[in-house]
């Protein structure tokens, strides 16, 4: 599968990385001036791993024609410009589908292709704010807390774009036409809250932060500080798991009733006090591989050494960088990190040869 990625930042490149991890031949079209790239060393920009890069000035004479030569040979194109920007460059859906009627044209934006905010600037925190998702995260009585840019950019954006372009590609390969996939972060993030909306409609979720079963309102589903300033995560929702939790924690004989909402404050205090009596390492040893559903809260640097993640090789080292391995797992066609992050323009000759696009290196595109 061949993918053309018009350089951008955030969710578009990550979506293209996911496709590349799964084996797609992704060619990233970088711009000479460096627009659309993060201000970090390209060698550490992991969103560009498993890709190849060519430099094309889209505003220079002939630049658009070279990209269209790539498009003609591609299965998927991914762009993350504001609505209308690709059209101005001569690389909009009409231009590309005219050249390649089976092309899947993936558009990654925050607000979508239409609506009053479609052309407005924005970032993850604003997108998840208007969908209601941000309102759920944080302690009761405190401000909402943004979960980095994982929820909007990558979950509601990148992964929905991947789902969309693969579904559209399946349709095209079954004999259907190419089409445009409009992946908006607001749409994807709203979609992620579907089950919560159902719970709210059924009276099982309050539209108030920090007061529900899964948002920190419940004393046996949350995080607790340990004696050394670390934290343990508790998710003992089911009764049998909860029974094992309070037994191992050592408060089974004095814990307030879990079903008495009026006692939840006292139960939370009892759990918190007990956790502060030992270090995170000590509590990790206590709960071990039990069914109490308790785990240490690890930092990004600590995570790769966790026994379960280490056993599964969830993280790997490639090019001197510790990084997450491709996911999910396949029994017959496993993903792999094959190439270090692409340096802008480093692969023009290789791509020209493999894709048969000599215009990349100044040859006759015919």
């Amino acid at each position: 599968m061949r993918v053309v990625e018009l350089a951008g930042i955030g969710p578009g490149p990550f979506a293209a990385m996911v496709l590349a991890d799964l084996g797609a031949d992704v060619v990233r079209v970088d711009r000479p001036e460096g627009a659309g790239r993060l201000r970090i060393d390209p060698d550490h920009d992991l969103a560009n791993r498993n890709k190849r890069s060519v430099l094309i000035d889209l505003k220079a004479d002939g630049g658009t024609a070279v990209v269209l030569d790539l498009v003609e040979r591609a299965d998927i194109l991914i762009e993350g410009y504001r609505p209308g920007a690709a059209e101005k460059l001569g690389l909009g859906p009409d231009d590309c589908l005219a050249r390649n009627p089976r092309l899947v044209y993936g558009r990654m934006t925050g607000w979508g292709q239409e609506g009053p905010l479609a052309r407005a600037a924005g970032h993850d925190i604003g997108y998840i704010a208007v969908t209601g998702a941000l309102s759920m995260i944080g302690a009761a009585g405190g401000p909402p807390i943004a979960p980095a840019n994982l929820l909007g950019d990558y979950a509601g954006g990148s992964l929905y774009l991947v789902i969309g372009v693969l579904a559209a590609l399946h349709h095209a390969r079954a004999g259907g036409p190419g089409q445009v996939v409009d992946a908006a972060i607001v749409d994807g993030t709203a979609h992620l809250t579907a089950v919560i909306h159902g719970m709210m409609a059924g009276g099982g979720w309050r539209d108030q932060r920090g007061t529900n079963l899964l948002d920190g309102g419940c004393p046996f589903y949350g995080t607790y500080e340990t004696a050394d300033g670390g934290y343990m995560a508790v998710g003992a929702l089911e009764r049998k798991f909860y029974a094992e939790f309070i037994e191992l924690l050592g408060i089974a004989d004095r814990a307030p009733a879990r079903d008495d909402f009026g006692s939840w404050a006292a139960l939370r205090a009892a759990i918190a006090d007990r956790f502060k009596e030992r270090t995170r390492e000590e509590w990790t040893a206590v709960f071990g591989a039990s069914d109490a559903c308790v785990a240490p809260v690890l930092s990004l640097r600590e995570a790769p050494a966790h026994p379960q993640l280490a056993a599964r090789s969830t993280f790997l080292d490639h090019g001197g960088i510790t990084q997450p391995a491709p996911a999910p797992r396949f029994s017959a066609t496993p993903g792999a990190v094959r190439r270090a992050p692409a340096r802008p323009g480093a692969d023009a000759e290789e791509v020209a040869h493999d894709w048969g696009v000599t215009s990349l290196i100044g040859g006759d595109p015919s």
Side-chain angles (χ1 to χ4, degrees), residues 15 20 44 72 86 91 120 138 154 158 175 201 220 288 323 335 342 346 358:
H44 293 90
E72 183 178 344
L91 293 172
Y154 300 134
S158 302
F220 40 92
Q323 55 194 280
T358 57

Side-chain angles (χ1 to χ4, degrees), residues 220-224 231-236 245 275 287 292-297:
F220 40 92
Y221 196 91
T223 57
Y224 290 91
Y231 285 88
M232 299 295 290
V234 177
F245 164 59
F275 267 120
F287 289 102
C293 300
V294 177
V297 178

Side-chain angles (χ1 to χ4, degrees), residues 19-58:
L19 295 173
D21 282 355
L22 299 181
D25 181 2
V26 178
V27 171
R28 176 177 166 99
V29 177
D30 278 300
R31 286 168 279 178
E33 69 274 18
R37 295 202 296 268
L38 294 174
R39 296 181 182 277
I40 64 174
D41 183 341
D43 290 339
H44 293 90
D45 190 353
L46 291 179
N48 289 327
R49 74 184 187 188
N50 284 336
K51 303 177 184 179
R52 296 186 287 184
S53 171
V54 297
L55 282 180
I56 301 176
D57 187 347
L58 301 181

Side-chain angles (χ1 to χ4, degrees):
M1 186 175 74
R2 286 177 169 176
V3 179
V4 172
E5 175 199 348
L6 302 184
I9 60 174
F14 189 83
M17 184 206 80
V18 172
L19 295 173
D21 282 355
L22 299 181
D25 181 2
V26 178
V27 171
R28 176 177 166 99
V29 177
D30 278 300
R31 286 168 279 178
E33 69 274 18
R37 295 202 296 268
L38 294 174
R39 296 181 182 277
I40 64 174
D41 183 341
D43 290 339
H44 293 90
D45 190 353
L46 291 179
N48 289 327
R49 74 184 187 188
N50 284 336
K51 303 177 184 179
R52 296 186 287 184
S53 171
V54 297
L55 282 180
I56 301 176
D57 187 347
L58 301 181
K59 296 182 179 180
D61 290 343
T64 295
V66 177
V67 176
L68 288 174
D69 289 339
L70 290 169
V71 166
E72 183 178 344
R73 295 156 174 81
D75 298 292
I76 295 170
L77 179 141
I78 289 175
E79 62 94 358
Y81 302 151
R82 293 197 202 189
E87 285 82 349
K88 289 181 180 179
L89 292 169
L91 293 172
D94 291 345
D95 305 297
C96 292
L97 287 166
R99 190 70 171 267
N100 181 355
R102 293 292 178 85
L103 180 73
V104 173
Y105 192 106
R107 313 199 82 166
M108 182 76 262
T109 61
W111 302 114
Q113 296 297 313
E114 69 280 319
L117 294 178
R119 295 177 181 270
H123 279 293
D124 177 291
I125 193 168
Y127 307 139
I128 68 174
V130 302
T131 64
L134 181 58
S135 74
M136 297 188 294
I137 306 171
I145 299 175
N149 66 331
L150 300 178
L151 176 55
D153 279 355
Y154 300 134
S158 302
L159 299 187
Y160 276 85
L161 178 60
V162 170
I163 292 169
V165 297
L166 291 182
L169 180 64
H170 180 74
H171 174 74
R173 287 185 169 177
Q179 61 182 305
V180 177
V181 177
D182 176 5
I185 294 172
V186 290
D187 295 346
T189 305
H191 192 259
L192 289 170
T193 67
V195 173
I196 302 297
H197 276 277
M199 294 171 66
M200 190 165 59
W205 190 276
R206 298 176 63 192
D207 196 14
Q208 184 177 346
R209 183 170 50 260
T211 62
N212 297 285
L213 192 65
L214 303 175
D215 66 356
C218 172
F220 40 92
Y221 196 91
T223 57
Y224 290 91
E225 187 175 4
T226 57
D228 58 343
Y231 285 88
M232 299 295 290
V234 177
L237 292 176
E238 294 81 358
R239 292 183 181 280
K240 63 179 181 179
F241 302 152
Y242 176 79
E244 187 166 349
F245 164 59
I246 59 173
E247 182 66 33
L248 291 174
L249 189 64
I251 62 170
D253 59 342
R254 62 181 186 277
R258 61 168 268 164
D259 294 332
D260 179 6
F261 291 172
S263 298
W264 272 16
L267 177 56
R268 187 187 305 279
I271 295 172
D273 289 345
R274 180 62 176 146
F275 267 120
K276 282 196 174 182
E277 293 179 11
R278 297 184 183 180
T279 66
R280 189 188 71 178
E281 183 177 357
E282 289 172 329
W283 283 121
T284 299
V286 167
F287 289 102
S290 73
D291 280 345
C293 300
V294 177
V297 178
L298 302 182
S299 71
L300 292 172
R301 292 190 184 278
E302 292 174 318
H306 185 275
Q308 177 66 18
L309 306 188
R312 285 181 58 80
S313 299
T314 299
F315 290 84
L316 54 80
D317 291 307
H318 189 275
I321 303 175
T322 300
Q323 55 194 280
R329 310 289 176 91
F330 295 82
S331 62
T333 56
V337 177
R338 307 176 304 278
R339 304 173 68 104
R343 294 195 65 84
D347 309 298
E349 291 191 11
E350 187 177 278
V351 172
H353 176 269
D354 292 349
W355 284 45
V357 181
T358 57
S359 55
L360 278 171
I361 51 177
D364 183 355
S366 64

